[in-house]
Amino acid sequence: TEAVDGVVLGGFANAQTPLSALSVLVEGLYVQRGGNVRTDPDGETITGGVRSDYLTFTLHARLAAGLGRARIHVSGGMTIDQLLRSRIDPSLRSVLDNESPTVFGVSAAAGIGARVTERVHVELEARIVEGLGDAHSGSFVSFRNRSKEILVRVGVPLPGR
């Protein structure tokens, strides 16, 4: 398969723990995942694509450290993709006859952030996501969710923090 571009939009909460470097990141996201297929297992040429939209929830343990004005972080944890809709190219519809409504996965990320005003914090993060089960399957083929994502996160502390 070949990668395709998609969109990730959503919200997050980053809850501090008693350990100053450790926090828990929770996200609710709209995520587009998909891929293009060029050949079948026998080497025959097929051209088709699968695009799926998910409501995705992530739960990450996150370690962060200050680096001058910036803060670097690494995180990892679980993802749950809840299928909203799929678009399957007609050339693949005959071989992909099963869509999983829920797909579990793991993800890892690293990023850097900085406070841009007294209250606003901006981060840039690179993330990889690996599905643990099939998102789409058929008689001789299956697809797992696997993605590389770049996220821009803008945060504002809750009142009283």
Side-chain angles (χ1 to χ4, degrees):
T1 60
E2 294 178 347
V4 295
D5 292 334
V7 173
V8 177
L9 297 170
F12 71 96
N14 190 37
Q16 196 61 48
T17 68
L19 301 173
S20 64
L22 181 66
S23 62
V24 176
L25 178 68
V26 179
E27 297 172 313
L29 306 166
Y30 166 80
V31 177
Q32 293 179 326
R33 302 194 195 282
N36 290 325
V37 175
R38 295 291 176 221
T39 59
D40 72 10
D42 297 325
E44 298 295 319
T45 300
I46 330 176
T47 301
V50 176
R51 300 284 298 200
S52 297
D53 300 337
Y54 292 96
L55 179 58
T56 297
F57 299 96
T58 65
L59 178 63
H60 275 208
R62 180 173 151 142
L63 290 170
L67 184 65
R69 286 187 39 137
R71 237 172 128 64
I72 57 172
H73 67 268
V74 295
S75 67
M78 60 173 274
T79 64
I80 301 171
D81 289 339
Q82 187 64 45
L83 182 65
L84 298 173
R85 73 178 177 141
S86 282
R87 294 162 308 286
I88 300 174
D89 193 276
S91 63
L92 294 176
R93 184 139 318 264
S94 63
V95 295
L96 291 176
D97 54 10
N98 183 36
E99 294 177 325
S100 297
T102 304
V103 180
F104 295 92
V106 294
S107 55
I112 188 166
R115 190 166 302 283
V116 293
T117 70
E118 188 175 310
R119 295 195 39 84
V120 177
H121 184 84
V122 176
E123 296 177 346
L124 180 63
E125 180 177 282
R127 177 183 294 176
I128 52 175
V129 179
E130 182 71 33
L132 297 177
D134 293 339
H136 299 275
S137 60
S139 54
F140 64 86
V141 66
S142 64
F143 287 93
R144 288 184 179 211
N145 288 337
R146 177 181 293 158
S147 64
K148 297 173 186 169
E149 302 168 354
I150 302 292
L151 294 98
V152 175
R153 195 178 283 123
V154 178
V156 177
L158 295 173
R161 297 262 176 212

